[in-house]
């Protein structure tokens, strides 16, 4: 069974940092592109970033370039999102999701982890 | 404001057919595949349609997708109460070098 489990969310002060993790099982992690997608309270889904199978290629939503860093450890079947200089508008549920390519659909998602940035 | 435009809401009665539209541009829908996701609050989003009009295994054939030029649509026939959810279209945007989602459409089954 394909499973993606996010962790690392919580309450953080504005300007602080947080590192999210996503541990996967049930599929060959190293063969998939991986993504982070978020949903702010009362808002729609927003794609944040993705990363190639070997970590050699990454893409980010314009608003987060320079503040967020996506990475992966294929030996640990893990995906990460390092978030720095957090703002109130970063408050959201963050989902990890797998994809077949950078431009292709996301066919499996985790349940999400909530990040709350307090002012 | 989302790059892909969707109506914020849609509704129908059980058994009816409902269509949700998604409007984009030449840099996203016009040159890349369109995907549709179903999302119930508090749960993981689910891929409903991939590559414009393909259904993953397990998705009922009541759901269908289409694309024409820079627009796409999701049709749900034989509407059921369990179809009540938020629906999002998505595509890659070549100008932004990123994935873009529509603002989402909340479907209510009356």
């Amino acid at each position: 069974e394909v499973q993606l489990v996010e962790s690392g969310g919580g309450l953080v002060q504005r300007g602080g940092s947080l590192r999210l993790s996503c541990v996967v099982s049930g599929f060959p992690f190293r063969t998939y592109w991986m993504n982070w997608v978020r949903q702010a309270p009362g808002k729609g889904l927003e794609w944040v970033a993705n990363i190639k199978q070997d970590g050699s290629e990454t893409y980010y939503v314009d608003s987060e370039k320079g503040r967020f860093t996506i990475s992966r450890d294929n030996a640990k079947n893990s995906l990460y999102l390092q978030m720095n200089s957090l703002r109130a508008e970063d408050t959201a549920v963050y989902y990890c999701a797998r994809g077949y390519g950078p431009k292709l659909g996301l066919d499996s998602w985790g349940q999400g982890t909530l990040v709350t940035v307090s002012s | 404001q989302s790059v892909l435009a969707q109506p914020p809401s849609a509704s129908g009665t059980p058994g009816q057919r409902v269509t949700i539209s998604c409007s984009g541009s030449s840099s996203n829908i016009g040159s890349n595949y369109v995907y549709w996701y179903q999302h119930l609050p508090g749960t993981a989003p689910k891929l409903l349609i991939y590559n414009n009009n393909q259904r993953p295994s397990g998705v009922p054939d009541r759901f269908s997708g289409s694309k024409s030029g820079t627009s796409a649509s999701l049709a749900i026939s034989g509407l059921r109460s369990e179809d009540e959810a938020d629906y999002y279209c998505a595509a890659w945007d070549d100008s932004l070098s990123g994935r873009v989602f529509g603002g989402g459409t909340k479907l209510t089954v009356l």
Side-chain angles (χ1 to χ4, degrees):
Chain A
E1 181 191 3
V2 172
Q3 283 197 319
L4 299 88
V5 180
E6 303 92 338
S7 63
L11 180 63
V12 61
Q13 283 196 329
R14 186 179 58 186
S17 297
L18 211 55
R19 189 197 196 202
L20 305 183
S21 299
C22 173
V23 178
V24 314
S25 59
F27 67 95
F29 178 68
R30 64 180 65 247
T31 67
Y32 286 85
W33 278 76
M34 294 298 295
N35 297 254
W36 287 101
V37 177
R38 67 184 177 185
Q39 184 178 35
K43 303 291 186 182
L45 299 175
E46 180 186 34
W47 173 81
V48 175
N50 64 8
I51 185 168
K52 194 177 179 179
Q53 290 91 332
D54 62 359
S56 63
E57 208 171 316
T58 58
Y59 296 94
Y60 295 89
V61 64
D62 278 350
S63 59
E64 307 312 340
K65 286 178 183 174
R67 287 199 307 129
F68 289 7
T69 303
I70 188 173
S71 63
R72 64 192 296 164
D73 185 338
N74 288 341
K76 295 183 178 179
N77 284 352
S78 294
L79 175 73
Y80 306 102
L81 185 67
Q82 177 68 42
M83 304 186 295
N84 298 327
S85 304
L86 284 163
R87 309 163 181 161
E89 52 265 38
D90 296 319
T91 294
V93 174
Y94 285 74
Y95 299 95
C96 69
R98 78 174 192 184
Y100 289 95
K103 304 183 178 184
L104 303 182
L106 308 179
D107 70 339
S108 290
W109 299 60
Q111 294 292 323
T113 186
L114 176 62
V115 172
T116 303
V117 182
S118 69
S119 52
Chain B
Q1 197 157 351
S2 303
V3 173
L4 303 181
Q6 295 181 238
S9 63
S11 63
T13 56
Q16 262 191 333
R17 183 175 188 271
V18 170
T19 300
I20 297 172
S21 62
C22 176
S23 178
S25 67
S26 58
S27 62
N28 42 65
I29 293 178
S31 51
N32 292 289
Y33 286 126
V34 176
Y35 300 86
W36 289 91
Y37 299 89
Q38 179 190 59
H39 189 209
L40 288 142
T43 69
K46 174 185 177 182
L47 179 65
L48 214 53
I49 296 289
Y50 68 96
N51 295 5
N52 303 331
N53 55 20
Q54 302 298 304
R55 282 186 310 277
S57 60
V59 173
D61 59 5
R62 302 185 297 106
F63 294 89
S64 62
S66 65
K67 170 183 153 179
S68 178
T70 59
S71 293
S73 62
L74 171 72
I76 309 172
S77 59
L79 204 58
R80 297 184 176 184
S81 58
E82 57 260 38
D83 297 334
E84 195 162 277
D86 297 321
Y87 292 85
Y88 296 88
C89 60
W92 184 264
D93 190 296
D94 292 329
S95 295
L96 298 174
S97 290
R99 191 184 305 273
V100 291
F101 282 92
T105 298
K106 184 176 182 60
L107 176 64
T108 301
V109 181
L110 303 168

